[in-house]
Amino acid sequence: MLYETTVLPGPPMGFRVTHINPTFAILRWEMPKVLGKTVVSYNIRYRPTSDGNGTPYKTINSKSVPYILQNLMASTEYEVYVTALNEHGIGEPSTRILFRTAVGLMEATSSEAAYNVTACCSMVGVSGKCMPLCDYSAKLTDLRQLTQTCTKDFPKLLRCGAGGRNHVQCCERRGIPQACLGFCTGHVTEELVVTAAACLPYVGNVIQCFEEGTGLIPGPVIQLHATSLADDSLTLIWQPPLDGSVNHYVVHYSMIDELASKAIATAFEMDQQLHVIQPQAVINNLKSKQLYNFFVLAANDHGTSLPSSIITINITKEALSNGTISGVPSAPQGISVTSRSADYITVSWQQPALVHPTDRLTYTFYYRKRDDKSFNASSTTITSYRLDNLTASSQHIFYVTASNDNGESRPSETLMAWTDPAYEAVVEVPTIHPMNIVLEGGSMTVICVAMGTPMPTVSLYISGVLIRQEKTRHMVAVLSNVTRSMNHITCYANNGYGQTSEAFKRIIIGRRPSITGSLITMATLGDDVTLECEVDAHPTPKLSFSRDSSAMDKITNSSKYEVRILRENREPDANYIMQLMVRNMNVSDSGVYYCNAQNNFGTFAQVMKLQARQKAVPSVMNVAKCCEEQNVTSTCMHACTLFLDIESVIDRPECIGDFHKLMRCAADGSDHRGCCTQWGVPRRCLDWCRGEVVSSIELCALTYPKPIISCFHEGKERIPGPPRNVRIQLEKDNSVKVLWDSPAKNPDTVELYRVFWRLQGVKQTDKNDTRLTWLNLVGLKENLPYELVVKAGNRDGTSTLTEPLVFTLSDKYIISTSTHSNNPQIGVAVGVVVALILIVCAVVCGVYCLRKRNIIGIKLTGGMRFDNAPFRGNSQACNDTLQIVQNEVVNDASEVATPNGGWRQEALEVVPATEVGPSLYEELRLGTDGAGFKRLK
């Protein structure tokens, strides 16, 4: 069905077998007429027929035509055919061909010339992409297309094309110039690029001579070797050519001296010649102990072959100590230095002139420094070698030999060469394209040019980031998606000599404006306030302030406003600082302001909000009243003036017991521990800084009252007092909303409120921060008692905690109990009710505790502490009474819960011998930058 719908390709056309040898044959065909252009590869199927039809086919897939079928058995008949494949499957098979691996014998196909140029190319290692040129019928279009690609294989192609025959006479008849006659012998005597450029127009004529002479001129002799040597004679034996008729052989020989033994014979004749009929010759009248060269040519009426090998021998009996000497290729010629630097030398040479066309040559490169005694050797299959890691200004000696299966040739000429002197690397200032301006988001080309010997390693850095690094003198890097930070371009160059060379260039990236600034600015009515924003843009933008988003009504300098435009620094692309000062702020000045910037690449506007707050009247602290409430003794009341006069009682020992009361009154509900730490107050005395009892009263009273009082003075108008009137209400979603009023002391300095809550008797404490005077609590459990406290704070410090508020969340209502009241009667009533409840609870808990102790035999001890905002609680005991929690913990001073469930200040228990100084306090950044509480680590 696939064949009927013409999905599969048809059979390959013109299938044939050519160039049959004992072990290989060449298969040729053309693409199918049906869907030939869809073919992706071909399957070659073959099998020997000597074992009958039961022998399975072997399958080989090939994408190229022709194909060399290798690894065949000699004198064996084979059956072969080809099928084409496309993406749908395998097409119809070609005609089947039977052939026998014997030269000149083939069935179902015409005979071909005995010499096989394609097989020669395969034997000498011509690359597969150049194999189409290994055919006398190759197209000139293929030749032109593959000239550059097959440059390295050109000597091998030319040698196989000549086939070891001398085609000079034919080339002269066809008008090929003298400079190109080397092509007619398969040999290139000049630089390949120069020769190819001059002789390429005559390649067609040369190929015609190759094809014409293949059937007429005999091929080269093989297996030349010397078998017998006397004092004045030498016997040579060789094998006849594989193809072509031979009338006679010509033995060429000449005497050479030792110094000339490395010279390369470029002519295919010598001083003396001997004509023989048989493939052997005895050369007489040789001079003893002299060095001779020998080679043999096959000849007939149409011409002569080329020498396939050469024997160089000293005419002495000892020269044949091994029994025989085989002919080898002649020495490589034209050795020269093609490139060099301070750390390397590249040496090239031409292939030997006397070599069999099918020889696969291996070259041995010998080299040493001038001062070294022995040569180093390295093998290669190409006609060049590079010596690396050399020393600058050093002299080196080298030569090369060629080897085939019969042995190694004589050495080539010896070459001496110096490496270049070393020059330290120097890099030029990077070149940037486009040169006028580079746009953000676009692309730019960076060029780093470096000089120096040896070749330096060039590195490109963009704003400190390595982009590319390579060993070159000319680096080109194309960078896309350019950002405004890619403005510092640096090129480095280093070649190991001298210091690293550096050159940089600062460019300005064209970009639309980008503005940053404070989103909300708080200011007190009546004060002067400055709004500031920073603009990043290039080219220079138009800057303005406005109250409307369209920037139509720009703010200008007046008695009310002052606009200032500054630069961040003197750099050409420095940011712009825009400042708007609003004098004597009033309610109408509150609201939204716009920072506007516009240039050629865009417009940007930043919204800023100015928010007013009422100017608070400084609170007047009544220390005398506080001292009376704290029951300060009459002898110490002299300190309770308008503000605490600690010096009047510091020398009175009887007042030391009242110091914690005096400190409580002077602290005025604020936490000054941050300031005290800076003044060097130790940890054991820090609780006085927030009006709490310390453990070492005498020690603290002797040394630290004055710095503590100084902190009280410093923070009395900067640190807020505790929030007031804390209360709760139930929301519709069954969440709890906590509300409070601003502190009576310094309410305008509050930047943040912190709320703590937890289940009574549980260690874990939850907290949250807000700028508002309310907070929603979610996820609370019903019918369980909670306690809650609130504190106010700013970047200078915090207040003490409010008195705890206890509440229980029920289904549709909240049971709330506070520990304080402004109505004494309500307080008495609440106290009676609470007392009755506590009595009942005490009885129940007592019974429970007695039973518990009888069972497990332990005593309930310890308390609960919480550290750094979270409360750390312990198990709740039998009595539920509430005490005041004063502040968040700082290091060892902490709010704790007593075993009976209340909050109190735990005294420090510090052993003086192990005490360490206080660490610096850090700022807890909450919300926007700069807001938060300060505490000790």
Side-chain angles (χ1 to χ4, degrees), residues 91-107:
E92 298 182 46
S94 67
T95 57
R96 299 173 186 260
I97 292 180
L98 296 174
F99 70 95
R100 181 178 296 275
T101 53
V103 177
L105 298 178
M106 188 179 78
E107 298 178 16

Side-chain angles (χ1 to χ4, degrees), residues 266 474 485 882:
T266 56
H474 193 271
S485 62
L882 293 177

Side-chain angles (χ1 to χ4, degrees), residues 13-201:
M13 305 300 295
F15 179 54
R16 58 199 182 276
V17 180
T18 63
H19 299 84
I20 299 175
N21 276 263
T23 58
F24 68 88
I26 298 179
L27 310 181
R28 301 174 184 271
W29 63 88
E30 281 75 38
M31 70 169 60
K33 290 185 177 180
V34 179
L35 299 178
K37 294 184 178 180
T38 66
V39 175
V40 295
S41 62
Y42 296 92
N43 277 346
I44 302 168
R45 307 200 68 192
Y46 70 101
R47 66 177 180 179
T49 60
S50 57
D51 297 336
N53 295 331
T55 304
Y57 285 96
K58 296 181 180 180
T59 303
I60 300 175
N61 185 267
S62 175
K63 296 183 179 180
S64 61
V65 181
Y67 181 80
I68 302 176
L69 188 60
Q70 301 181 8
N71 301 322
L72 303 180
M73 295 181 293
S75 300
T76 303
E77 186 179 64
Y78 285 89
E79 178 186 1
V80 63
Y81 68 92
V82 182
T83 58
L85 284 78
N86 64 7
E87 59 181 0
H88 299 290
I90 303 174
E92 298 182 46
S94 67
T95 57
R96 299 173 186 260
I97 292 180
L98 296 174
F99 70 95
R100 181 178 296 275
T101 53
V103 177
L105 298 178
M106 188 179 78
E107 298 178 16
T109 184
S110 61
S111 62
E112 296 281 341
Y115 177 67
N116 188 342
V117 63
T118 306
C120 174
C121 290
S122 177
M123 294 178 67
V124 298
V126 174
S127 61
K129 59 187 176 183
C130 300
M131 288 298 290
L133 300 181
C134 294
D135 194 337
Y136 293 141
S137 60
K139 299 179 182 179
L140 287 178
T141 55
D142 293 338
L143 180 62
R144 294 190 183 96
Q145 292 176 356
L146 297 175
T147 298
Q148 298 295 330
T149 306
C150 301
T151 299
K152 293 183 178 180
D153 290 329
F154 185 72
K156 299 177 183 178
L157 292 169
L158 198 60
R159 191 174 57 174
C160 285
R165 300 171 179 84
N166 193 336
H167 303 274
V168 172
Q169 293 181 0
C170 173
C171 291
E172 290 176 343
R173 292 196 306 268
R174 294 182 180 274
I176 296 176
Q178 186 70 28
C180 301
L181 289 180
F183 278 19
C184 301
T185 60
H187 184 63
V188 180
T189 58
E190 298 179 3
E191 291 187 7
L192 182 61
V193 177
V194 177
T195 304
C199 302
L200 189 60

Side-chain angles (χ1 to χ4, degrees), residues 218-528:
V221 301
I222 59 176
Q223 297 298 324
L224 173 65
H225 56 280
T227 59
S228 177
L229 180 63
D231 289 338
D232 61 350
S233 64
L234 176 68
T235 301
L236 299 176
I237 298 177
W238 61 89
Q239 295 293 329
L242 294 177
D243 55 273
S245 61
V246 180
N247 291 342
H248 63 280
Y249 299 96
V250 182
V251 179
H252 291 254
Y253 63 98
S254 85
M255 184 176 62
I256 59 174
D257 56 33
E258 185 67 28
L259 295 177
S261 63
K262 295 183 180 181
I264 305 301
T266 56
F268 301 116
E269 61 181 22
M270 291 189 184
D271 297 340
Q272 302 180 60
Q273 301 176 3
L274 176 64
H275 293 258
V276 296
I277 302 300
Q278 299 300 323
Q280 63 180 6
V282 178
I283 300 96
N284 297 312
N285 302 321
L286 300 176
K287 292 184 178 182
S288 179
K289 298 182 181 180
Q290 295 296 321
L291 201 62
Y292 281 84
N293 278 340
F294 300 88
F295 64 78
V296 179
L297 303 180
N300 62 13
D301 297 337
H302 301 285
T304 64
S305 69
L306 297 173
S308 60
S309 61
I310 189 171
I311 294 178
T312 302
I313 190 171
N314 193 352
I315 307 302
T316 60
K317 293 182 180 180
E318 292 79 11
L320 285 180
S321 59
N322 294 330
T324 183
I325 294 179
S326 299
V328 295
S330 61
Q333 59 181 344
I335 184 170
S336 62
V337 174
T338 54
S339 65
R340 64 181 175 180
S341 182
D343 59 347
Y344 76 90
I345 295 178
T346 302
V347 181
S348 299
W349 58 89
Q350 298 296 334
Q351 65 178 9
L354 309 182
V355 62
H356 194 277
T358 60
D359 281 346
R360 182 177 290 226
L361 298 178
T362 301
Y363 300 98
T364 304
F365 185 77
Y366 295 88
Y367 59 94
R368 68 177 175 88
K369 292 185 67 174
R370 182 179 179 180
D371 299 333
D372 295 343
K373 295 182 179 180
S374 60
F375 281 91
N376 300 310
S378 183
S379 298
T380 180
T381 57
I382 60 176
T383 58
S384 65
Y385 190 84
R386 173 168 167 156
L387 285 171
D388 289 310
N389 302 319
L390 304 182
T391 305
S393 300
S394 59
Q395 190 177 25
H396 299 266
I397 303 172
F398 26 76
Y399 65 89
V400 64
T401 62
S403 302
N404 62 5
D405 295 337
N406 296 325
E408 187 176 12
S409 73
R410 299 285 294 176
S412 67
E413 305 99 329
T414 299
L415 187 64
M416 299 179 66
W418 290 83
T419 55
D420 292 339
Y423 299 98
E424 65 179 88
V426 177
V427 66
E428 297 179 358
V429 176
T431 303
I432 313 297
H433 295 281
M435 302 183 68
N436 50 357
I437 189 170
V438 179
L439 301 182
E440 185 178 32
S443 62
M444 65 177 174
T445 302
V446 181
I447 302 175
C448 296
V449 178
M451 296 175 289
T453 303
M455 184 180 295
T457 298
V458 180
S459 305
L460 172 63
Y461 284 80
I462 304 294
S463 298
V465 179
L466 178 62
I467 301 300
R468 180 178 297 179
Q469 186 177 67
E470 60 181 294
K471 195 170 185 178
T472 182
R473 300 186 191 276
H474 193 271
M475 176 191 286
V476 179
V478 179
L479 308 176
S480 57
N481 194 21
V482 176
T483 63
R484 61 185 62 193
S485 62
M486 299 168 62
N487 58 348
H488 196 280
I489 300 172
T490 309
C491 295
Y492 293 91
N494 191 337
N495 62 356
Y497 294 90
Q499 296 182 348
T500 301
S501 177
E502 173 186 358
F504 68 91
K505 187 174 185 178
R506 187 180 180 91
I507 63 174
I508 301 177
I509 308 297
R511 55 200 182 272
R512 69 185 293 264
S514 174
I515 304 177
T516 57
S518 178
L519 299 180
I520 300 176
T521 301
M522 302 290 294
T524 303
L525 295 177
D527 290 347
D528 294 344

Side-chain angles (χ1 to χ4, degrees), residues 467-601:
I467 301 300
R468 180 178 297 179
Q469 186 177 67
E470 60 181 294
K471 195 170 185 178
T472 182
R473 300 186 191 276
H474 193 271
M475 176 191 286
V476 179
V478 179
L479 308 176
S480 57
N481 194 21
V482 176
T483 63
R484 61 185 62 193
S485 62
M486 299 168 62
N487 58 348
H488 196 280
I489 300 172
T490 309
C491 295
Y492 293 91
N494 191 337
N495 62 356
Y497 294 90
Q499 296 182 348
T500 301
S501 177
E502 173 186 358
F504 68 91
K505 187 174 185 178
R506 187 180 180 91
I507 63 174
I508 301 177
I509 308 297
R511 55 200 182 272
R512 69 185 293 264
S514 174
I515 304 177
T516 57
S518 178
L519 299 180
I520 300 176
T521 301
M522 302 290 294
T524 303
L525 295 177
D527 290 347
D528 294 344
V529 60
T530 300
L531 304 178
E532 183 176 288
C533 56
E534 186 173 346
V535 181
D536 180 14
H538 183 79
T540 303
K542 296 180 180 179
L543 306 175
S544 64
F545 285 98
S546 66
R547 297 295 299 269
D548 58 322
S549 59
S550 61
M552 298 299 294
D553 186 14
K554 295 181 175 58
I555 299 176
T556 59
N557 289 325
S558 63
S559 58
K560 183 66 176 177
Y561 301 106
E562 181 181 351
V563 179
R564 294 189 295 265
I565 308 296
L566 310 174
R567 294 299 295 270
E568 190 176 38
N569 51 54
R570 295 184 178 181
E571 295 293 336
D573 60 343
N575 291 348
Y576 298 85
I577 306 298
M578 300 176 58
Q579 294 180 343
L580 174 63
M581 186 173 72
V582 182
R583 297 186 179 93
N584 191 19
M585 177 183 173
N586 53 43
V587 177
S588 63
D589 295 327
S590 300
V592 175
Y593 290 78
Y594 292 89
C595 239
N596 306 299
Q598 179 182 6
N599 65 6
N600 297 336
F601 302 118

